[in-house]
Amino acid sequence: MSKHKSDQNSDMPQGEAPQEMLEHPSYEELLQKLNEAEQKADQHWERVLRMQAEAKNAEQRAKREIENAFKYGLDKFVNGLLPVVDSLELCLTSVPPDMQKAAASVIEGVQMTLKMFLAELEKAGVQQVNPVNEPFNPETQQAISTQPAADVAPGTVISVLQKGYTLNQRMVRPALVVVAK
């Protein structure tokens, strides 16, 4: 066996290292390559973290948009139904006193229809804003005029010309009101 080893190294001059041992990089070169590899790994890791954050943000944004579309998608539909509610309410308040007895069953039917209609709107998240005798709130009310009122504090709503409505706490239509001076 020793003869075999000496045969392999026989063409190499004695005392010289094999060529491949001489080509190994120095410690400093290896350290530099290691630092470069660590920097690249850090850059890739930061890129991965940024991409994960962007994906999470996109997912949250999409979820929020879907929730808003579901929550407020009825906005146009509700706006289309509000004149029907207004008409039913006007029907109830505009019956002349001398005809109320004769129209009692019709008035009762309209009252029941209005009640059912408002109940269904409420199930869909629609709330009525009827601020009589409440302080004026510009977020939910639109003042049409002001009037002097001796028995009411200034800034109080004394009458509602048209009720307002919210859909899931978001204003669909402000109430049209008259405010005390």
Side-chain angles (χ1 to χ4, degrees), residues 93-123:
T93 59
S94 64
V95 176
D98 60 326
M99 294 192 66
Q100 285 187 358
K101 196 170 195 173
S105 63
V106 173
I107 292 171
E108 184 180 342
V110 171
Q111 285 173 333
M112 290 173 61
T113 302
L114 179 61
K115 185 177 177 181
M116 289 184 330
F117 199 79
L118 290 173
E120 287 304 312
L121 285 175
E122 203 170 294
K123 285 179 188 175

Side-chain angles (χ1 to χ4, degrees), residues 38-163:
E38 285 177 344
Q39 287 175 354
K40 276 187 177 181
D42 288 345
Q43 289 172 352
H44 291 298
W45 182 249
E46 287 175 20
R47 189 177 303 155
V48 166
L49 291 177
R50 262 194 311 273
M51 290 171 67
Q52 284 177 336
E54 287 174 9
K56 185 176 179 182
N57 289 341
E59 180 182 335
Q60 288 173 344
R61 189 171 37 254
K63 183 179 176 184
R64 195 170 41 249
E65 287 173 1
I66 289 169
E67 286 173 359
N68 285 340
F70 179 74
K71 199 172 187 180
Y72 302 115
L74 296 175
D75 210 23
K76 285 183 181 180
F77 183 67
V78 169
N79 269 315
L81 294 178
L82 295 182
V84 175
V85 174
D86 295 339
S87 295
L88 291 171
E89 288 177 340
L90 183 61
C91 176
L92 292 172
T93 59
S94 64
V95 176
D98 60 326
M99 294 192 66
Q100 285 187 358
K101 196 170 195 173
S105 63
V106 173
I107 292 171
E108 184 180 342
V110 171
Q111 285 173 333
M112 290 173 61
T113 302
L114 179 61
K115 185 177 177 181
M116 289 184 330
F117 199 79
L118 290 173
E120 287 304 312
L121 285 175
E122 203 170 294
K123 285 179 188 175
V126 177
Q127 294 292 316
Q128 205 174 54
V129 177
N130 188 11
V132 176
N133 297 324
E134 294 179 8
F136 176 72
N137 179 353
E139 292 181 15
T140 60
Q141 303 154 22
Q142 183 177 348
I144 298 301
S145 68
T146 58
Q147 290 181 357
D151 58 336
V152 180
T156 302
V157 175
I158 54 176
S159 81
V160 177
L161 304 174
Q162 185 181 56
K163 294 175 184 170

Side-chain angles (χ1 to χ4, degrees), residues 7 33 82 181:
D7 288 345
K33 286 183 180 184
L82 295 182
K181 281 187 184 179

Side-chain angles (χ1 to χ4, degrees), residues 1-28:
M1 191 168 224
S2 62
K3 181 170 181 162
H4 185 0
K5 255 188 174 184
S6 63
D7 288 345
Q8 286 179 346
N9 293 333
S10 63
D11 43 336
M12 222 187 329
Q14 209 120 37
E16 288 187 29
Q19 183 66 24
E20 57 189 42
M21 290 180 76
L22 294 176
E23 293 178 4
H24 285 293
S26 68
Y27 174 77
E28 290 78 25

